[in-house]
Amino acid sequence: MTLTFRLDPEIDPALRDGVLALWVDVSNADGAVGFVPPVTVDDIRPEWLKRLAQLSKGETRLLVGYDEDGAVAATAFLAYNTHRLMTHWIWLYVVMVHPKHQGKGYGRDLMAAAADAARGLDGIEAIRLTCRGGTGVDRFYESCGYKEVGRVPGAIRVAPGDDRDDITMLLPLG
């Protein structure tokens, strides 16, 4: 089985609920996607609404991976730069694969689909992302072709006494 990826799917109630549920499940499985468990849909919803506003303004694109049942199984947000000197690369945010699908290669499929989507965007030459140190996800991104290009020690405070590095990674698309 593989996921079916769609860039900019219609935002309907099923997609909204699917993304919110995915975000909650990934967060509660200790996924480093902007929250610390435990979280609920009500905790995630304000961030989802911010992303929806960015989508509606054309500042961000949404990539969704659907499983064989049509359920939201993976997502990533591709965000354009608004600074005139940085419009040749995009940010990749909130990269998620549902915990029940991990270990099936879907993360690699999602990263490949994100790179393919970025290559289809006019003038985009690279993807940047940040990740939380101490999770091992930086090794996963490296295995997908990303290179660490920066690190801010202790920039992310997960809890009192638990500071993590903020790691910046880059994937040239050329």
Side-chain angles (χ1 to χ4, degrees):
M1 288 183 287
T2 62
L3 298 182
T4 302
F5 291 97
R6 290 190 51 211
L7 183 63
D8 302 325
E10 178 184 347
I11 307 293
D12 60 15
L15 179 64
R16 176 201 62 215
D17 294 347
V19 171
L20 285 169
L22 174 64
W23 213 332
V24 167
D25 290 344
V26 169
S27 296
N28 285 332
D30 285 327
V33 289
F35 295 90
V36 176
V39 297
T40 67
V41 168
D42 290 334
D43 297 319
I44 304 289
R45 185 174 287 111
E47 189 63 30
W48 169 243
L49 292 175
K50 287 180 197 175
R51 301 290 175 177
L52 284 176
Q54 294 166 345
L55 290 166
S56 70
K57 293 178 190 174
E59 299 169 348
T60 298
R61 311 284 294 270
L62 175 60
L63 178 65
V64 178
Y66 296 92
D67 67 16
E68 65 279 358
D69 297 322
V72 175
T75 63
F77 292 90
L78 295 90
Y80 291 102
N81 284 295
T82 56
H83 192 284
R84 66 190 166 279
L85 301 178
M86 297 183 193
T87 58
H88 59 289
W89 58 268
I90 59 168
W91 284 105
L92 190 62
Y93 290 113
V94 196
V95 176
M96 301 186 286
V97 173
H98 195 281
K100 74 179 180 183
H101 292 302
Q102 295 193 0
K104 299 178 181 178
Y106 292 171
R108 288 189 193 290
D109 293 345
L110 175 60
M111 297 307 290
D116 288 345
R119 284 184 188 96
L121 303 176
D122 191 39
I124 299 302
E125 299 171 10
I127 302 172
R128 277 175 64 177
L129 60 79
T130 63
C131 60
R132 184 186 304 169
T135 64
V137 73
D138 52 319
R139 289 187 304 275
F140 166 73
Y141 291 131
E142 285 175 356
S143 75
C144 293
Y146 285 76
K147 179 181 177 186
E148 181 177 328
V149 294
R151 181 181 291 253
V152 181
I156 301 170
R157 180 155 294 156
V158 177
D162 186 2
D163 294 348
R164 309 285 181 90
D165 293 355
D166 184 16
I167 304 168
T168 302
M169 304 191 81
L170 180 75
L171 177 70
L173 297 173

